[in-house]
Amino acid sequence: GLTREDLYRILTEPTNNIIRQQQALMETEGLNLHFTDAALQEVASIASEVNRTVDNIGARRLHTVLERIIEEYSFDAPDLVAKYQENNPDGQFQ
C-alpha cells in the first residue's frame, strides 16, 4: 500500500493536485484556502492510518479526508464570505 510519504507526494507534487483543485473550488465561493506543510503532512498521515486500519482505497482516501476537513467551509461559504465582507469591505476572506 501507499505510505504516508507517498500520500504526501500525491498531495503536493502533481501540477493539478487535489489541494490546488480544492483551492480553485473554494475561490469560486470567494474563499482563499491555504494549507500549511504541517497540515498537509497530517492529512497524509490520517489517510495512511485510515487506509491501514479500515479499508485500503489508496490515494482516493486523500479525497475523503480533505472532504471532511473542508465540508463545513464549502457548505457555509456564501454566508461566511457575506458576513466577512460586511465587516471588512476591502479584505478577502481567508
Side-chain angles (χ1 to χ4, degrees):
L2 296 170
T3 66
R4 181 186 64 78
E5 292 79 16
D6 294 332
L7 292 167
Y8 175 79
R9 290 181 62 209
I10 291 167
L11 272 177
T12 59
E13 289 182 9
T15 303
N16 292 318
N17 62 53
I18 193 170
I19 297 300
R20 288 191 182 122
Q21 292 172 22
Q22 289 295 328
Q23 289 171 329
L25 182 63
M26 290 293 101
E27 281 181 16
T28 66
E29 299 291 343
L31 296 177
N32 183 4
L33 182 65
H34 174 76
F35 288 92
T36 64
D37 188 65
L40 296 176
Q41 293 281 354
E42 186 64 18
V43 168
S45 182
I46 291 167
S48 177
E49 180 66 16
V50 175
N51 273 347
R52 189 179 66 76
T53 59
V54 179
D55 185 24
N56 189 349
I57 61 171
R60 292 179 303 233
R61 182 69 65 196
L62 293 169
H63 182 72
T64 60
V65 170
L66 283 171
E67 248 183 12
R68 291 285 179 126
I69 294 168
I70 296 171
E71 70 184 343
E72 180 180 339
Y73 297 104
S74 180
F75 183 77
D76 294 333
D79 294 333
L80 291 170
V81 171
K83 185 175 183 177
Y84 182 83
Q85 287 176 340
E86 284 176 16
N87 298 321
N88 303 288
D90 295 329
Q92 182 179 17
F93 186 79
Q94 297 189 23

